[in-house]
Amino acid sequence: MTEARSAVEAVFRIESARIIAATARIVRDVGIAEEIAQDALLAALEQWPESGVPDRPGAWLMVTAKRRAIDLVRRKETYARKLAEVGRTLEDVPPPEPADPDRIDDDLLRLIFTSCHPVLSTQARIALTLRLLGGLGTEEIARAFLATETTVAQRVVRAKRTLGRAGVPFEVPYGPDRAARLDSVLEVIYLIFNEGYAATTGDDLLRPALCQDALRLARVLAGLMEKEPEVHGLVALLELQASRAAARTGPDGAPVLLADQNRSRWDRLLIRRGFAALARANEAGGAGPYALQAAIAACHAHAVTYEATDWTVIATLYRRLAALVPSPVVELNRAVAVSMAEGPAAGLVLVDALAAGPELKAYHLLPSVRGDLLERLGRAQEARAEFVRAAELTRNEQERTLLLARADRVSR
């Protein structure tokens, strides 16, 4: 790979979201905007090896893409005038807009809200967000989510087509629509992070690139929406969780439980960033789900050792979270905190109540937690059965290995 080609690809990876966002404002169609951005990329690949990398390569790509977008709109306008002359009309032809660098952040915000529109399925929103905002190619998204390239390509194409058919405007919604759409945006970013932090399937527990993409998107969003407490809450949550990533696996990739993690490997810079984001969330009146989860993560970050963790506060925060967003998964996490604050028997009461319901029947962490509580209560054989059951339910090889090892250890 030549130096110029490497430069083109590196710059495009960084700038592609802004380029697509800026051109989408002109052509009002994210699919066409992406094609125009790709055209600009091809132009750079053709010209830079000959002419050299420009002093401001990102600006070069932006100007090239905008010129092509404006040319496209002008051609449409000319076509519309010709149609009008023969008594027909062409709807939805937007006027060309002059390039205005001050509006780039607004454009990026519009792109985020458009990519995460509720008219799309969750999987489509994730694929489109990673494609347009994360700058990931089809192959990278497919690898990240263990899907085929064909599946991901079709998902992205259908998503762009759906947005076009639904007439989704390229804009940031306001009022109740904005709150509803912001929830969707935050959900997609958190889902991307979680898939990187605890992979659903596959041989590895972590997919760091996905965590980094989600964290970058959240930081961008926080910079664009400084007064939204839940945006800062999400950033705080991701920063604090990401700070533990290096300690979550051993040299062989095996998961390391929170109690056994070497806290000197926690990233202090990310922790400080997480604390700062949480403070901004609180200053903005944050008391939503992400701010509460960030507060829980902050409790762990404050604790010098696992034993020094303030589990009473964490249990209280989980109770507030469960009241805000009732969920069996939140209730399971609360059971763990209660077991640490009040003893395993108190936690087991909550877990048994969850086990009696249908919601978590296929969720491997339910028998995993129950096995842990039974082990702490000295009920070894029952604990072993739960760990084996959890191993049967998980689709992640590293988690399966850990659970079977715990089953083996507890039965000795």
Side-chain angles (χ1 to χ4, degrees), residues 146-171:
L146 302 181
T148 66
E149 287 187 54
T150 302
T151 298
V152 170
Q154 290 175 344
R155 200 171 282 164
V156 170
V157 169
R158 282 198 296 268
K160 290 188 286 193
R161 197 175 294 155
T162 299
L163 290 175
R165 278 202 299 261
V168 173
F170 186 66
E171 65 180 14

Side-chain angles (χ1 to χ4, degrees), residues 74-88:
R74 283 174 176 160
R75 285 200 299 274
K76 279 187 177 180
E77 281 198 323
T78 301
Y79 180 54
R81 279 197 300 273
K82 289 180 178 178
L83 288 177
E85 289 172 2
V86 295
R88 297 172 60 189

